[in-house]
Amino acid sequence: MRFTVVASPSIPSDGLQGAWDTLDRYAQALQAEVETAGQIRLSLEAVREGTRSDLVLWHPGTGSEPPLHAGRAEAAPERIARIARSLPLDGADSRLLRGVGIPGPAPGDPEAPAHVAMLRVSRTLGSWIVAIRFEPARPFRPVDLKVVSLARRLLLNHRYHLHVYERLRESLFGLVHCLTAAIDAKDPHTCGHSERVARIGQRIGVQMGLPGPLLNDLYLAGLLHDIGKIGVRDDILKKAGPLTTEEFAHVQAHPVIGERLVSSIHQLAHLRPGIRNHHERYDGQGYPDKLAGEAIPLMARVLAVADSCDAMMSDRPYRPGLPAARIERIMADGSGTQWDPAVVRAFMACRRDLYSTLQQGLGESVEAAVEHTLGVGMAGASVVSARGGVR
């Protein structure tokens, strides 16, 4: 099988009206596809429909990998491979070809390519998108090659943004790891506290029927709610006895310090309300802003209960962990004064799950939360002081 070059055209920008809807649907579908095979499949279907081709190949270039195809589902793999081997892969990156010297129909090969539109996808990998028509009376036009070119551009842009997104996700994931480890290293007596608060807060949020994006925010804000303790003196954090008024005032600065830290990280800045206000009280007697009732951000109201729950369950230098029955009495007594009654009700409804929450490694929960966060970026004591709560 031989091909004669019809054109290595300068692709025009006119004549695309009939293919815009196809390319628009393709671009939207591509946004949700992260797997390479799925991206190629969508690309081939878009080219097939946009150019009204009989068959479209993803030709891998060199190597033994077989070509992928869309259209003519009855085409046998060996026939697809034979067509792929006949294609001239050297020369211009975009070409319109007409089949020349093709023998008549034969058993097992009822048709041979009459017209081909080829566009190189990658010189590095040697891959091509190849659109094929079998009817001699239906040649490709330069505008068809323009459709192929636009599909290729959408694909490569999508892959580039996925690569950037993945690097950013890994960086943010590592940053959250480091910040959480820094909190644990700062105060070994509360090691794992941030992870447990994150899980408890997220579970309470599920019980309250909060939407997925807010659950992800709760988880990340829970991990980072005490990040401001990096700015609190070690001798105060590790003090076994009661704090003096001056020392307690020093501890009370940690939500503001934490907010300042995360506000400098664009992808985490939307977590500021949970970090700054998780020590507010429902009656307005908390800190740092003395907010009351629903003026306290919902994220902070949930984390206040999660923070207190873990603080009371855990052993601290100044007292052992409290039994479940006592924690429940304290929560009930503090409903409407220290904590949001709706959050306390959710806590009571799922408290058995919360008591079994153990320190675990940062896994799928934080990965999902980080991915959501990247989407957002691209687009007096507050807790039972004298009764055994957190500082």
Side-chain angles (χ1 to χ4, degrees), residues 245-320:
T245 302
E246 180 183 356
E247 289 171 337
F248 193 69
H250 181 61
V251 171
Q252 286 181 314
H254 80 269
V256 177
I257 297 171
E259 182 203 22
R260 190 161 59 243
L261 287 172
V262 299
S263 66
S264 64
I265 306 169
H266 176 69
Q267 289 81 12
L268 300 178
H270 67 292
L271 306 176
R272 290 164 55 194
I275 294 170
R276 180 182 179 93
N277 298 119
H278 70 279
H279 279 300
E280 304 289 354
R281 286 176 55 109
Y282 202 70
D283 60 8
Q285 299 304 305
Y287 64 89
D289 300 317
K290 295 194 176 299
L291 301 179
E294 294 190 2
I296 304 170
L298 177 58
M299 190 191 310
R301 281 179 270 150
V302 174
L303 290 179
V305 171
D307 190 24
S308 300
C309 173
D310 184 68
M312 289 187 283
M313 283 195 298
S314 305
D315 292 336
R316 293 294 172 88
Y318 46 87
R319 54 111 181 110

Side-chain angles (χ1 to χ4, degrees), residues 366-388:
V366 74
E367 289 181 9
V370 162
E371 288 174 3
H372 163 69
T373 295
L374 288 175
V376 170
M378 304 213 30
S382 76
V383 184
V384 240
S385 55
R387 291 181 291 177

Side-chain angles (χ1 to χ4, degrees), residues 59-75:
H59 196 300
T62 57
S64 59
E65 183 181 355
L68 303 175
H69 74 280
R72 293 295 173 109
E74 72 276 8

Side-chain angles (χ1 to χ4, degrees), residues 177-194 226-239 250-251 254 257 261 317:
H177 267 286
C178 290
L179 292 175
T180 306
I183 300 169
D184 287 346
K186 180 74 174 178
D187 186 1
H189 295 298
T190 60
C191 184
H193 169 70
S194 298
D226 272 344
I227 187 61
K229 286 187 175 179
I230 289 175
V232 176
R233 297 199 327 253
D234 288 351
D235 61 305
I236 295 179
L237 281 181
K238 299 174 182 179
K239 186 174 180 179
H250 181 61
V251 171
H254 80 269
I257 297 171
L261 287 172

Side-chain angles (χ1 to χ4, degrees), residues 337-352:
T337 55
Q338 184 149 346
W339 303 288
D340 181 345
V343 181
V344 172
R345 285 195 296 272
F347 164 81
M348 292 294 187
C350 65
R351 62 189 184 278
R352 301 305 172 197

